[in-house]
Amino acid sequence: MKRTCIIALLLSLVCMGAAAQNTLGDFRKGIEGRLVAFKADYAPVSGAGARGSFDVRFQEDAYHFTTSDDSGMALEVFCDSKSVWIVDNVSKECEVEPFSGSGEDLISSIYSIITGIEGLYKVKSSASGSFAGRKVTTVTLEYSGEGASIARSVRLHITPDLKLAGFEATDDNGFTTRFTVSGWQVQDRISPASYKFDEKALDKSWVVTDLR
């Protein structure tokens, strides 16, 4: 009897792993080589932490990102796969730096996790449930790379029609932030040059720091 229960448990774990791979694989296949756009509200799962929202459009190493939080911070970030422009519209400051590669900043890290292009996150588990009132498959990923990471583990909440309802990211210190996604869109790619920001067009009231 005990042996039968153990075999049944092992089979259920294998099937659960296969289901996770299928859901995640189908989801990633649908956005492969495409432009992904969405909005997200974020907040700590528990305890203190920033609360805010962001709006992002990204494809591979190019993206446009706007964000604001409850501290009054408001940033706009552009990346054309060569340079990153961080534009602070409140303090009128613009910092330009070279783009160091996928996974090296928040937005490219989110893209890397969602698409799996770096292969740094492995599936740990999958379960059916609900998120923000929507039926989802929750796939838990764990970081398998070396060194520090922006997220040690991530829970992706994927709807039956293969849209991202939200995700939760836990950092190296065990702090978890929940992101609730809306307006999920998958579109045709556009030229990376479309994500370029012209810092030379800013007037003299701006402080521009070019680190390239």
Side-chain angles (χ1 to χ4, degrees):
M1 182 67 177
K2 183 182 293 185
R3 181 180 177 183
T4 302
C5 292
I6 292 173
I7 292 174
L9 175 60
L10 290 174
L11 286 173
S12 69
L13 290 173
V14 169
C15 292
M16 182 178 68
Q21 293 287 2
N22 288 340
T23 299
L24 189 60
D26 290 343
F27 169 74
R28 286 174 169 171
K29 185 177 180 180
I31 63 177
E32 183 179 358
R34 307 292 299 279
L35 183 158
V36 176
F38 64 90
K39 297 180 180 180
D41 295 320
Y42 61 87
V45 170
S46 62
R51 299 171 182 269
S53 62
F54 65 78
D55 192 330
V56 65
R57 292 164 56 89
F58 51 34
Q59 57 186 50
E60 296 183 2
D61 293 337
Y63 58 81
H64 176 219
F65 169 74
T66 59
T67 184
S68 60
D69 67 18
D70 53 8
S71 72
M73 180 271 293
L75 295 177
E76 192 168 9
V77 185
F78 301 80
C79 175
D80 67 350
S81 81
K82 297 178 182 178
S83 300
V84 178
W85 292 264
I86 304 172
V87 182
D88 187 331
N89 292 298
V90 176
S91 62
K92 287 194 170 184
E93 296 180 358
C94 175
E95 182 174 296
V96 192
E97 56 189 45
F99 180 62
S100 54
S102 181
E104 294 299 319
D105 57 31
L106 174 62
I107 301 307
S108 59
S109 292
I110 291 174
Y111 183 85
S112 177
I113 293 167
I114 290 174
T115 61
I117 59 173
E118 299 294 324
L120 295 178
Y121 288 82
K122 306 300 182 184
V123 175
K124 179 183 179 183
S125 64
S126 174
S128 298
S130 62
F131 178 84
R134 304 169 72 181
K135 181 180 178 181
V136 297
T137 295
T138 297
V139 181
T140 301
L141 306 173
E142 285 198 340
Y143 181 68
S144 61
E146 298 180 357
S149 64
I150 287 181
R152 179 58 54 181
S153 66
V154 179
R155 301 175 72 215
L156 299 178
H157 303 289
I158 302 170
T159 64
D161 57 351
L162 301 178
K163 295 181 179 180
L164 187 65
F167 57 98
E168 291 151 335
T170 301
D171 65 18
D172 289 333
N173 297 315
F175 184 80
T176 302
T177 302
R178 177 175 293 130
F179 300 80
T180 303
V181 170
S182 61
W184 178 265
Q185 297 180 41
V186 180
Q187 305 168 349
D188 292 334
R189 287 167 47 89
I190 60 177
S191 169
S194 302
Y195 296 90
K196 187 174 182 178
F197 180 77
D198 184 8
E199 73 278 3
K200 295 182 177 62
L202 299 173
D203 62 37
K204 293 183 178 179
S205 65
W206 283 75
V207 175
V208 177
T209 304
D210 195 333
L211 302 176
R212 290 175 293 184

